[in-house]
Amino acid sequence: MSERDLAPVGGIHSVRIALRSDADAVAEIWLERDRRDRRLAELAALAQQAGVRIRQVARAELDAVGDGLNHQGALAWVRPRAPGREADLEAILAAAAGPPLLLILDEVQDPHNLGACLRTADAAGVDAVIAPRDNAVGLTPVVVKVASGAAATVPYIQVTNLARTMAALQARGVWLIGTAGEADQALFDADLTGPLALVMGSEGRGLRRLTRERCDGLVRLPMLGRVESLNVSVATGICLYEALRQRRPAAP
């Protein structure tokens, strides 16, 4: 695998996640040479335990390859992992601690959007992100970089036939809620507490017809201003956190 196939994951927390969750995918880590920080020393110890090569570099090198990342003196060079398969979903659903929460992305093609969705999915406790194999971005180096460690923690499942996978989820009792601007029901009025898959459309055209028809219900995000729609990663964050709000344990 060439250097251009590696993704820089920046930030102390993100590098720690990479080393702890999938050290075999980490080619090497870069640590700022002149920075004396206990947390950097801990990263070095983790890398040594995992057999990951360590390079001490100048801050200017971190700034140059990080390209805007808040690296905090640490970068991990990560090999993007292969996506999971439809057969992996059964084990994921069986292992879910409570009612499963899934995210379905219908032909999202922008790697920055997918990376942002994976990062939010990790934060919201999503059990898996599902996408079609065709006409959708995979786990590219850009996706891994934007996801800031979440590409290693959230299962990303690519399937051959999305409608068939959605039908299989319904047979398992998973409720499919899609998003559409013309839906009658607002997101905040929907019940998102049970086994659930939120279905988000692609950039530009939204949900495809077959995907929309397979959904058990559609919801819309209230839009009070002049813009007609939100970026898919922003909309995904709003929907996931409304689901998280509804699903959190009641206060004693």
Side-chain angles (χ1 to χ4, degrees):
M1 180 174 288
S2 67
E3 242 180 62
R4 67 184 179 185
D5 295 321
L6 299 174
V9 173
I12 290 171
H13 181 63
S14 297
V15 173
R16 186 185 298 117
I17 289 174
L19 289 170
R20 286 180 171 169
S21 62
D22 194 6
D24 290 340
V26 182
E28 65 180 16
I29 67 169
W30 289 11
L31 300 178
E32 187 176 339
R33 180 187 302 134
D34 300 321
R35 184 165 177 168
R36 298 294 176 261
D37 188 314
R38 173 183 55 81
R39 296 174 301 169
L40 294 188
E42 291 172 353
L43 289 182
L46 277 175
Q48 288 173 341
Q49 292 170 11
V52 174
R53 183 172 52 194
I54 303 168
R55 281 186 59 189
Q56 301 287 341
V57 300
R59 182 180 180 86
E61 290 186 75
L62 291 165
D63 291 341
V65 300
D67 189 25
L69 282 175
N70 180 23
H71 55 70
Q72 300 174 299
L75 280 176
W77 289 95
V78 177
R79 304 176 186 90
R81 61 187 172 92
R85 300 173 298 173
E86 188 170 0
D88 298 322
L89 277 175
E90 187 67 28
I92 290 170
L93 292 173
L101 176 60
L102 306 171
L103 173 63
I104 296 176
L105 301 175
D106 187 19
E107 293 192 345
V108 169
Q109 299 178 359
D110 187 318
H112 293 87
N113 281 334
L114 177 56
C117 287
L118 287 171
R119 189 170 184 178
T120 305
D122 174 271
V126 167
D127 294 293
V129 176
I130 303 167
R133 189 175 304 279
D134 296 330
N135 300 316
V137 66
L139 294 176
T140 68
V142 174
V143 171
V144 173
K145 174 183 174 181
V146 175
S148 299
T153 59
V154 181
Y156 182 64
I157 309 296
Q158 285 189 318
V159 300
T160 304
N161 187 316
L162 185 59
R164 183 180 64 199
T165 300
M166 292 171 71
L169 290 173
Q170 287 171 316
R172 281 288 308 255
V174 177
W175 194 252
L176 306 181
I177 299 294
T179 54
E182 70 278 9
D184 293 329
Q185 187 177 38
L187 170 70
F188 306 127
D189 296 327
D191 181 358
L192 308 177
T193 57
L196 175 70
L198 287 168
V199 189
M200 311 299 296
S202 65
E203 303 91 348
R205 69 175 184 173
L207 296 177
R208 290 176 293 167
R209 179 181 58 83
L210 285 177
T211 306
R212 180 189 301 251
E213 291 175 354
R214 177 53 66 181
C215 290
D216 295 299
L218 297 174
V219 297
R220 56 177 170 77
L221 274 64
M223 303 291 293
L224 305 183
R226 295 179 181 270
V227 297
E228 295 182 356
S229 62
L230 296 173
N231 176 281
V232 62
S233 63
V234 174
T236 295
I238 294 169
C239 292
L240 286 178
Y241 268 84
E242 173 59 16
L244 181 60
R245 184 191 69 81
Q246 292 188 23
R247 298 156 77 92
R248 65 183 179 179

